[in-house]
Amino acid sequence: MRLTVWFQRLRYRFFSMAKPRLPTVPEVAVSFRELPGTSVGFWVLPVCPFCGAQHFHPAGAGKTDPMEKLGEVEARCGQGRYVIGLPPRPKRKKERRAENRRARKAGDGSTWDDWEE
């Protein structure tokens, strides 16, 4: 009886009872473009994470806010979904200085080790 319980625990840990992982939805940066001579706008995805092609997503026309169209959308190639959003803003000078100050206070010297390589 003990061997059976031990074997069941071993099987549970290593083989059969792994937790399924949820699929991750990639986040991609897009840029806004308007059709020349019109008020129709598009969100342009330069490189699709699934097929590698360029995709266009509608951003509205007229007085509608194009920011409302950002979020999770179906890929134009039909291979999955991704979250379209604006690219991250660069850090301001104050934020960079604060990071440098924190690194100097830590005194681990890891930034200088990376520099020498």
Side-chain angles (χ1 to χ4, degrees), residues 92-103:
R92 291 186 290 172
K93 193 179 249 185
K94 288 181 182 178
E95 293 171 356
R96 287 190 313 230
R97 285 182 181 166
E99 271 187 20
N100 291 340
R101 241 183 258 124
R102 273 186 250 122

Side-chain angles (χ1 to χ4, degrees), residues 10-106:
L10 183 70
R11 190 180 74 193
Y12 176 80
R13 278 193 179 168
F14 295 109
F15 300 111
S16 63
M17 304 305 283
K19 289 183 180 179
R21 292 184 182 177
L22 296 174
T24 58
V25 179
E27 295 183 19
V28 293
V30 292
S31 60
F32 182 75
R33 288 197 194 150
E34 271 189 344
L35 242 79
T38 66
S39 62
V40 177
F42 291 96
W43 290 113
V44 179
L45 174 67
V47 178
C48 175
F50 301 112
C51 68
Q54 183 179 26
H55 294 310
F56 297 92
H57 293 279
K63 296 183 180 182
T64 60
D65 185 19
M67 301 297 260
E68 292 177 359
K69 299 290 185 170
L70 295 176
E72 188 172 339
V73 294
E74 183 72 27
R76 290 290 178 184
C77 57
Q79 296 182 15
R81 298 182 69 79
Y82 46 74
V83 177
I84 59 173
L86 297 176
R89 295 176 62 185
K91 292 182 181 178
R92 291 186 290 172
K93 193 179 249 185
K94 288 181 182 178
E95 293 171 356
R96 287 190 313 230
R97 285 182 181 166
E99 271 187 20
N100 291 340
R101 241 183 258 124
R102 273 186 250 122
R104 281 191 302 250
K105 282 184 180 179

